[in-house]
Amino acid sequence: MTDASSLTGRLLVAMPGIGDTRFEHAVILICAHGPDHAMGLRLDSPAQGVDLKTVLDKLDAPAPEQAIGRPVLMGGPVERERGFVLHTDDWSVGADTLPFGDGLAMTGTREALAAMTDEISGPRRSTLLLGYAGWGEGQLEDELAENVWLTADADLDLIFDGDHESKWARALAQMGVDAGRLSSQGGRA
């Protein structure tokens, strides 16, 4: 796979009838995509009953007031106990931070968790996700060929906003697609 065909930094938007309840109406940001794997974070699935303060308390980390009520997202079904801080690329922990796409980065350290609530030296925008979506060699390409996903440009406002319920429909609308007109039936011309 050439860099030109990589989906890193792009969005996957689930088609109706995806056939996997874990990904119905999903909007996934692809953080890494190469010839043998792909990894992404689901942006529209808040973890029920968990906020950033809950996570920080569980880790015995300082939990400032800004952490109360701040949603934590379910990034995907793989390694659900593992946390990833998705953030703007204006903040980094050196080699522990993976920059990707246009203005985005991902860090999986305690420093990143602390930085999320630091309005002075932390990233401009950030969110914590638990777990990730992963694909093996050729799996994502096969799903794309089967019209399971649409691909879209990443948009920082869509990625980081808190309106998770309408994120799927808004991602489609940004592509000029009316969610109400999509069919769950695929076809080939």
Side-chain angles (χ1 to χ4, degrees), residues 124-125 154-163 167 170 174:
R124 190 175 74 255
R125 298 171 96 171
D155 173 83
L156 291 181
D157 289 332
L158 183 77
I159 289 169
F160 290 109
D161 79 25
D163 183 2
K167 204 165 277 209
R170 288 183 296 123
Q174 286 183 350

Side-chain angles (χ1 to χ4, degrees), residues 21-183:
T21 57
R22 299 173 301 171
F23 295 111
E24 285 181 12
H25 295 132
V27 178
I28 296 175
L29 175 64
I30 298 297
C31 304
H33 183 212
D36 58 349
H37 75 286
M39 183 264 190
L41 298 170
R42 185 168 180 176
L43 304 172
D44 62 313
S45 182
Q48 298 302 310
V50 179
D51 66 4
L52 183 56
K53 181 181 183 335
T54 306
V55 173
L56 291 170
D57 286 344
K58 192 171 210 164
L59 295 171
D60 291 325
E65 192 173 308
Q66 303 95 303
I68 298 170
R70 189 160 173 188
V72 173
L73 302 178
M74 295 308 302
V78 181
E79 293 188 52
R80 296 182 103 168
E81 68 288 342
R82 186 170 175 195
F84 301 91
V85 176
L86 175 64
H87 55 89
T88 49
D89 67 358
D90 56 339
W91 182 88
S92 161
V93 186
D96 289 330
T97 297
L98 171 69
F100 67 95
D102 189 18
L104 293 165
M106 179 179 64
T107 308
T109 65
R110 290 174 78 100
E111 293 90 349
L113 284 172
M116 288 181 69
T117 58
D118 186 336
E119 296 174 7
I120 307 289
S121 61
R124 190 175 74 255
R125 298 171 96 171
S126 62
T127 191
L128 174 62
L129 300 102
L130 301 176
Y132 65 94
W135 294 264
E137 183 176 351
Q139 187 180 3
L140 179 55
E141 291 75 13
D142 290 347
E143 290 179 11
L144 288 165
E146 293 168 9
N147 298 315
V148 171
W149 302 102
L150 294 174
T151 60
D153 292 333
D155 173 83
L156 291 181
D157 289 332
L158 183 77
I159 289 169
F160 290 109
D161 79 25
D163 183 2
H164 305 292
E165 196 168 301
S166 73
K167 204 165 277 209
W168 179 75
R170 288 183 296 123
L172 289 170
Q174 286 183 350
M175 291 185 286
V177 176
D178 179 351
R181 294 185 174 270
L182 280 179
S183 169

Side-chain angles (χ1 to χ4, degrees), residues 2-15:
T2 65
D3 283 341
S5 63
S6 174
L7 294 173
T8 300
R10 297 198 30 99
L11 296 176
L12 295 181
V13 183
M15 288 290 288

